Amino acid sequence: EPEVTQTPSHQVTQMGQEVILRCVPISNHLYFYWYRQILGQKVEFLVSFYNNEISEKSEIFDDQFSVERPDGSNFTLKIRSTKLEDSAMYFCASRAQIDTEAFFGQGTRLTVV
Amino acid sequence: EDKVVQSPLSLVVHEGDTVTLNCSYEVTNFRSLLWYKQEKKAPTFLFMLTSSGIEKKSGRLSSILDKKELFSILNITATQTGDSAVYLCASYSGAGSYQLTFGKGTKLSVIP
């Protein structure tokens, strides 16, 4: 069964460092998303990506964040200068069409120390 | 601001019990409502509901949407310990690519 794959599963980084979280969405999907979940809180939308560009982003997704789909299969989230409050589980998701369900990856747990 | 509210936030039941989880929503440009099960990490898809009054069923799980009252329920009959998880309700909203707005989840614990 096709699935969304995320790497790494866990990343520890020092405050101020750049991190890149990687995702391989399901191959025929068109819509890609990043969400995050701070421990004990709800899942929050960060950004959506369609047709090789950002289609929507939340207030959380400030200038420190960027997304890329460099090669038609990978979908990356970059945090330029990490802060302690960026510590969270980051989920990648993808959807085939506009009115279909989103499938989530297993997540990357980011710990900023 | 879009809002999805789930209740109860946590629930402890015995194996074999039937449970009902609640979800209310207030979102702009509502498209559909989804239920996910989150055991350890990734939310796994259960149901997507778009039309009012049509029950969706999968084994012991079922769900229904009321678009007039802006409400959905998830029922689990004959609960098993493997049903223990956080159940997330989410709504597609917004324009364009329709992101999901999630509720806080209901943590269900099924004890033998």
Side-chain angles (χ1 to χ4, degrees):
Chain A
E1 189 176 319
E3 59 180 18
V4 177
T5 307
Q6 289 186 244
T7 53
S9 56
H10 190 190
Q11 178 144 7
V12 181
T13 190
Q14 290 210 321
M15 196 166 54
Q17 294 295 303
E18 175 183 286
V19 294
I20 297 176
L21 311 184
R22 301 180 194 280
C23 170
V24 179
I26 295 173
S27 64
N28 61 342
H29 284 192
L30 301 177
Y31 297 84
F32 314 112
Y33 304 83
W34 284 101
Y35 290 83
R36 79 170 186 191
Q37 187 175 31
I38 294 170
L39 191 63
Q41 297 187 24
K42 60 183 178 180
V43 178
E44 301 173 289
F45 166 73
L46 292 178
V47 66
S48 60
F49 195 86
Y50 170 71
N51 205 22
N52 286 318
E53 61 182 16
I54 290 174
S55 45
E56 286 178 89
K57 56 185 180 179
S58 72
E59 289 174 357
I60 303 166
F61 194 88
D62 62 23
D63 291 344
Q64 293 300 311
F65 291 87
S66 62
V67 289
E68 251 191 347
R69 189 158 157 80
D71 57 12
S73 60
N74 292 287
F75 180 50
T76 61
L77 174 70
K78 184 195 287 187
I79 309 174
R80 258 179 274 284
S81 177
T82 49
K83 302 188 276 278
L84 294 176
E85 53 265 38
D86 294 327
S87 295
M89 181 73 89
Y90 288 80
F91 291 110
C92 174
S94 69
R95 274 205 286 172
Q97 300 291 339
I98 195 68
D99 279 324
T100 57
E101 65 271 28
F103 291 89
F104 284 77
Q106 289 295 311
T108 293
R109 178 162 296 287
L110 177 66
T111 303
V112 182
V113 296
Chain B
E1 185 186 332
D2 292 343
K3 200 163 56 169
V4 174
V5 178
Q6 294 186 245
S7 64
L9 292 181
S10 68
L11 193 52
V12 180
V13 300
H14 286 96
E15 260 191 323
D17 287 350
T18 292
V19 297
T20 298
L21 309 184
N22 304 299
C23 176
S24 64
Y25 62 93
E26 285 179 41
V27 300
T28 53
N29 299 316
F30 174 81
R31 300 287 296 188
S32 49
L33 189 128
L34 292 84
W35 287 94
Y36 287 86
K37 179 181 182 182
Q38 187 176 31
E39 292 181 84
K40 287 182 183 171
K41 289 187 178 179
T44 53
F45 172 73
L46 295 174
F47 298 111
M48 185 165 83
L49 304 151
T50 307
S51 303
S52 252
I54 298 174
E55 186 183 51
K56 292 224 171 171
K57 207 167 161 60
S58 176
R60 296 176 294 103
L61 277 68
S62 63
S63 184
I64 198 160
L65 176 67
D66 184 334
K67 287 169 79 172
K68 188 178 170 190
E69 299 296 328
L70 309 184
F71 191 81
S72 175
I73 60 171
L74 175 69
N75 278 321
I76 309 174
T77 59
T79 51
Q80 302 170 356
T81 53
D83 295 327
S84 296
V86 175
Y87 290 85
L88 301 173
C89 175
S91 175
Y92 278 136
S93 60
S97 56
Y98 302 116
Q99 69 267 26
L100 287 166
T101 299
F102 281 87
K104 288 184 178 178
T106 294
K107 183 176 179 181
L108 175 66
S109 300
V110 182
I111 52 179

